[in-house]
Amino acid sequence: MSNRTAPRLHAPRLHAPRLHASACPHDCPSTCALEVEVLDERRIGRIRGAADNSYTAGVICAKVARYAERVHHPDRLTQPLQRTGPKGSGQFAPISWDEALDIVADQFLEAERRHGPETVWPYYYAGTMGLVQRDGINRLRHARRWSGFFATICTNPAWAGWLAGAGKLAGADPREMAKSDLVVIWGTNAVSTQVNVMTHAVRARKEHGAKIAVVDVYRTPTMEQADIPLLIRPGTDGALACAVMHVLFRDGLADRAYLASHADDPAGLEGHLASRTPEWAEAITGLPAAEIEAFARLVGRTPRSYFRLGYGFTRSRNGAVNMHAASCIPVVSGAWQVEGGGAFHSNSGIYGWNKTLIEGLDLRDPTVRMLDQSRIGPILEGDPEALAGGPPVTALLIQNTNPVTIAPDQARVRRGFARDDLFVCVHEQFMTETARMADIVLPATMFLEHDDLYQAGGNQHILLGPKLVDPPGDCRPNHAVIGELARRLGSDSHPGFAMTERELIDATLRASGHGTLEALESQRFLDVQPDFEEAHFVKGFRWPDGKFRLKPDWPKVPYAAPSTFGPVDAMPTFPDHWAVTEEADDEHPFRLVTAPARNFLNSSFTETPTSAGRERRPSLMLHPDDAAALGIAEGDRVEAANGRGAVLLHARLFDGVRRGVVIAESIWPNAAHEGGRGINSLTGADPVAPFGGAAFHDSHVRVRKAAEPA
């Protein structure tokens, strides 16, 4: 036995964690102000909501509170990789950053030489909502004249529907929910997806007895907290809205003076709604006429009725029409006139950003084609219409998104990515299913490892997200990668490429009239909520005559789109139930909704063990009576299928849906499903009118008990 003394193992010195301000970067309207425990230069502890932010109010979701699990995950990508085996095999070898970026630049130049610059398509989305790290890819796109990216996968139907009436993407201060006597949460599962809505709604109930009404297609955790649950069939929100307004006009509860001064054609709307009775709506929505009557009368007799309108109910082929119909209710009732009344969807239109430096807008060529994000499957398969008559896409630069999991019509997406003539570079934090299909994978930083600037959609704050810790391994921010590629491609003359993130933030704040980086850093966040008159459209809605459009001209809605999409000419003139959804039929007797899961956010957090453990496994919620008719018991393997594909899940019997409706919560990776086909194998990529979008909650399917594996 050796007589040498064994080395002593010292525990790391413990320090009291330091709290630092930050902002949540994820695709959630709350954009919470955060307080982050920083343990040392590389490690974080717990994350809390900032109590002194009037919207966050100290509350954040559990998945962000335990963000250390994600930042310090052992599976993070930490070095550049080059594919060495077949696409999708997961076979990669480490290479240096210089080698990786040289390969990417050479491949892009070769693709341009063969097919012209539009053959390269920078593809990105909302993995981070930071203005610098998310949007800087457009500066390189404009400098190279690569194909444009028309973002359609999330907001288009909702925003188009809101703009069709109000003309501006803004509304009543969301903090006014706490002053309301009736908070109507329509088409958003706020408990799971934007918990701060509940903070203010529940405060109204506790402080002065306000009622909370929830409209949704299944009994969500939000509906379980409602005083008035309104359970309807998918895609029928327009019918419910019309019946509510019918009662308001019929029973003398419409504010005719307000309509005369603030709406375009109240008499035309009243005449149109004469036949849209609660009984008519019951046949469409499944909601009993008596419940519709009671809800409508409550709205009409409660001046402080606040409509918090979400995204979920617009992810249908009639989604824009449904949003517009719901947004008409507080106009008919006159609720806009009082504090705690009116409506809100998003404040994205209040900031007035000048992002010329970030996005290189001074380099933009408007003749370059724009390609529809949601139609990446048809685009990669060479569909001439989807390609807008231009060359094939033979090179992709992907940041902040995971289309091989989250894009609709997955069979086409996966076939497109498998093309041998397609070069793909993915800049990512984990080896996602999209990264597995790449030729070059670059390791990316997370939000606490770089500087960025954020705006809220669901409230009214501008927030700073400073670099707080060093990244693991050789991870680099999006901004750095875009700058290095620009240099290699000979397109780095724009001043935005040479600026640091902090310099871009400061210049953008100044150019947009929002002060300086120094001021924002000292204040932590800026409240830019418009005053009551502007937020409530007291002097008129954002149209030349100041009148809300009860009768919208859909092709002329002020939405920044390259063209109209879908069956625009068939859109209804007044609010209505537009029967353009993918309805159940004899072969596909169920309507499928692919709703968000509480512990995931799109495909983010699926890699963290606590989130995955709480969601357990991919499941399909179906009514017990439907299950019994199919011979399906709790936990059985089931197959959901339609003409686009088939997916294996496990049954979860749930009486909180209308019969004929099934719910698949979350976006599990395809690989988490038996057979490797995920839920978006069932969703369609046909564009939603009037300006595109993905109808994720609008698919018909057949369901059967699956045979046990051999």
Side-chain angles (χ1 to χ4, degrees):
M1 181 176 179
S2 169
N3 60 5
R4 288 181 296 173
T5 303
R8 295 182 64 187
L9 299 177
H10 296 281
R13 178 179 290 179
L14 298 178
H15 299 280
R18 293 169 291 127
L19 288 179
H20 289 263
S22 188
C24 182
H26 285 284
D27 188 11
C28 164
S30 289
T31 318
C32 290
L34 306 179
E35 292 179 348
V36 182
E37 290 182 350
V38 177
L39 306 181
D40 58 36
E41 65 275 5
R42 287 187 176 272
R43 295 185 304 141
I44 67 164
R46 190 75 174 169
I47 295 182
R48 303 177 180 87
D52 58 343
N53 180 282
S54 58
Y55 187 76
T56 302
V59 179
I60 61 170
C61 66
K63 53 186 172 282
V64 171
R66 56 176 182 266
Y67 212 87
E69 216 179 355
R70 195 163 192 271
V71 171
H72 305 308
H73 198 294
D75 293 341
R76 278 193 66 178
L77 294 170
T78 58
Q79 57 187 335
L81 302 170
Q82 182 176 21
R83 180 169 62 85
T84 58
K87 287 195 174 187
S89 67
Q91 297 174 33
F92 291 92
I95 57 175
S96 70
W97 266 101
D98 283 339
E99 290 175 301
L101 293 172
D102 286 346
I103 291 169
V104 174
D106 289 345
Q107 288 288 333
F108 286 172
L109 290 171
E110 176 60 17
E112 290 182 29
R113 186 188 67 78
R114 289 174 178 265
H115 301 285
E118 289 185 341
T119 195
V120 182
W121 191 21
Y123 192 96
Y124 70 103
Y125 203 51
T128 176
M129 296 293 278
L131 304 188
V132 175
Q133 307 293 352
R134 182 191 64 193
D135 300 332
I137 194 171
N138 288 313
R139 191 183 331 113
L140 182 56
R141 170 170 77 84
H142 293 141
R144 298 299 302 173
R145 300 183 73 253
W146 290 339
S147 282
F149 178 85
F150 181 44
T152 58
I153 213 161
C154 179
T155 63
N156 297 40
W159 287 10
W162 178 273
L163 290 166
K168 181 181 179 181
L169 202 59
D173 187 335
R175 294 167 295 193
E176 288 183 33
M177 282 183 284
K179 301 176 181 179
S180 178
D181 296 318
L182 172 62
V183 179
V184 181
I185 301 173
W186 196 317
T188 179
N189 181 9
V191 167
S192 295
T193 63
Q194 44 178 322
V195 66
N196 310 88
V197 168
M198 300 308 296
T199 299
H200 300 281
V202 170
R203 180 181 166 195
R205 181 161 60 190
K206 287 181 177 178
E207 293 185 357
H208 53 269
K211 300 295 185 183
I212 298 175
V214 173
V215 182
D216 217 321
V217 298
Y218 72 114
R219 193 175 65 236
T220 64
T222 306
M223 186 174 282
E224 289 175 351
Q225 294 197 26
D227 303 291
I228 306 161
L230 300 162
L231 182 65
I232 64 174
R233 297 188 182 112
T236 65
D237 306 81
L240 173 59
C242 286
V244 169
M245 291 186 286
H246 168 95
V247 173
L248 295 178
F249 279 115
R250 184 198 68 195
D251 292 357
L253 298 172
D255 190 326
R256 296 183 182 277
Y258 182 76
L259 282 164
S261 62
H262 281 77
D264 65 336
D265 190 0
L269 177 65
E270 184 174 6
H272 167 74
L273 293 175
S275 62
R276 271 57 174 179
T277 65
E279 291 74 20
W280 166 85
E282 177 179 354
I284 296 169
T285 65
L287 185 66
E291 294 185 34
I292 298 173
E293 292 267 6
F295 174 56
R297 287 195 296 270
L298 181 61
V299 169
R301 294 168 180 167
T302 310
R304 296 184 190 275
S305 293
Y306 189 107
F307 286 76
R308 181 60 175 87
L309 305 176
Y311 286 96
F313 78 108
T314 71
R315 294 196 173 113
S316 267
R317 289 168 178 81
N318 59 2
V321 170
N322 291 341
M323 171 62 84
H324 174 254
S327 73
C328 289
I329 297 174
V331 179
V332 174
S333 72
W336 278 105
Q337 298 168 91
V338 296
E339 189 178 33
F344 180 81
H345 170 62
S346 172
N347 253 340
S348 297
I350 70 173
Y351 296 100
W353 292 113
N354 181 337
K355 293 198 287 182
T356 299
L357 281 169
I358 291 175
E359 296 199 42
L361 297 176
D362 47 341
L363 302 175
R364 181 177 178 270
D365 180 349
T367 67
V368 172
R369 70 177 176 182
M370 299 288 287
L371 297 179
D372 184 343
Q373 171 194 20
S374 299
R375 306 204 70 206
I376 185 172
I379 286 167
L380 294 184
E381 285 203 311
D383 182 298
E385 183 270 331
L387 287 166
V393 169
T394 63
L396 286 168
L397 174 61
I398 299 177
Q399 291 184 323
N400 314 324
T401 190
N402 181 17
V404 177
T405 298
I406 64 101
D409 206 351
Q410 273 287 298
R412 300 191 74 178
V413 175
R414 295 168 77 183
R415 287 197 301 266
F417 269 90
R419 280 172 35 203
D420 288 331
D421 68 332
L422 176 69
F423 176 80
V424 180
C425 172
V426 174
H427 187 201
E428 252 297 357
Q429 298 163 348
F430 292 93
M431 184 58 75
T432 64
E433 290 178 315
T434 304
R436 286 177 67 89
M437 298 299 292
D439 299 280
I440 296 292
V441 178
L442 305 174
T445 49
M446 291 188 180
F447 79 104
L448 298 170
E449 299 160 357
H450 55 238
D451 295 301
D452 216 337
L453 175 67
Y454 302 89
Q455 69 167 53
N459 59 84
Q460 57 288 304
H461 287 98
I462 293 169
L463 307 96
L464 181 67
K467 181 179 183 292
L468 298 181
V469 292
D470 293 331
D474 218 358
C475 298
R476 294 187 185 179
N478 292 356
H479 176 62
V481 170
I482 293 302
E484 282 295 314
L485 283 175
R487 183 175 63 81
R488 284 169 167 81
L489 293 166
S491 296
D492 58 343
S493 60
H494 191 276
F497 290 115
M499 298 171 74
T500 66
E501 293 136 324
R502 292 177 64 83
E503 288 170 338
L504 279 171
I505 292 168
D506 185 61
T508 299
L509 287 167
R510 292 173 186 269
S512 307
H514 292 309
T516 65
L517 171 59
E518 182 181 12
L520 179 58
E521 202 156 27
S522 65
Q523 296 173 61
R524 296 169 47 209
F525 37 79
L526 275 179
D527 183 345
V528 295
Q529 173 65 36
D531 63 21
F532 177 87
E533 276 203 350
E534 185 176 349
H536 282 252
F537 301 102
V538 171
K539 295 181 179 178
F541 291 88
R542 193 56 64 88
W543 297 99
D545 61 1
K547 296 197 171 187
F548 185 95
R549 295 297 188 254
L550 301 169
K551 184 181 179 181
D553 185 347
W554 287 105
K556 295 182 180 178
V557 169
Y559 192 91
S563 66
T564 56
F565 293 79
V568 180
D569 294 341
M571 297 182 78
T573 303
F574 282 108
D576 213 337
H577 171 63
W578 188 27
V580 72
T581 52
E582 190 170 279
E583 288 302 304
D585 55 31
D586 290 343
E587 187 178 354
H588 309 92
F590 293 93
R591 291 290 307 279
L592 168 68
V593 172
T594 59
R598 188 167 190 167
N599 293 284
F600 297 156
L601 202 165
N602 300 321
S603 66
S604 295
F605 297 97
T606 59
E607 69 286 326
T608 55
T610 301
S611 289
R614 290 183 177 179
E615 296 300 328
R616 291 190 59 217
R617 62 187 180 185
S619 62
L620 188 71
M621 302 159 68
L622 67 165
H623 194 281
D625 293 344
D626 287 331
L630 295 168
I632 293 171
E634 178 75 24
D636 280 351
R637 296 168 68 254
V638 295
E639 179 189 76
N642 58 24
R644 303 179 190 98
V647 177
L648 290 171
L649 309 101
H650 286 82
R652 180 180 159 197
L653 306 193
F654 179 64
D655 64 2
V657 291
R658 298 282 174 198
R659 288 202 63 180
V661 177
V662 291
I663 310 290
E665 288 188 328
S666 83
I667 307 180
W668 285 92
N670 293 303
H673 293 258
E674 287 185 55
R677 295 183 301 272
I679 200 65
N680 280 316
S681 301
L682 304 174
T683 57
D686 49 305
V688 172
F691 302 118
F696 285 115
H697 301 344
D698 186 1
S699 304
H700 62 201
V701 294
R702 58 184 178 272
V703 177
R704 67 177 181 88
K705 185 175 179 178
E708 290 300 318

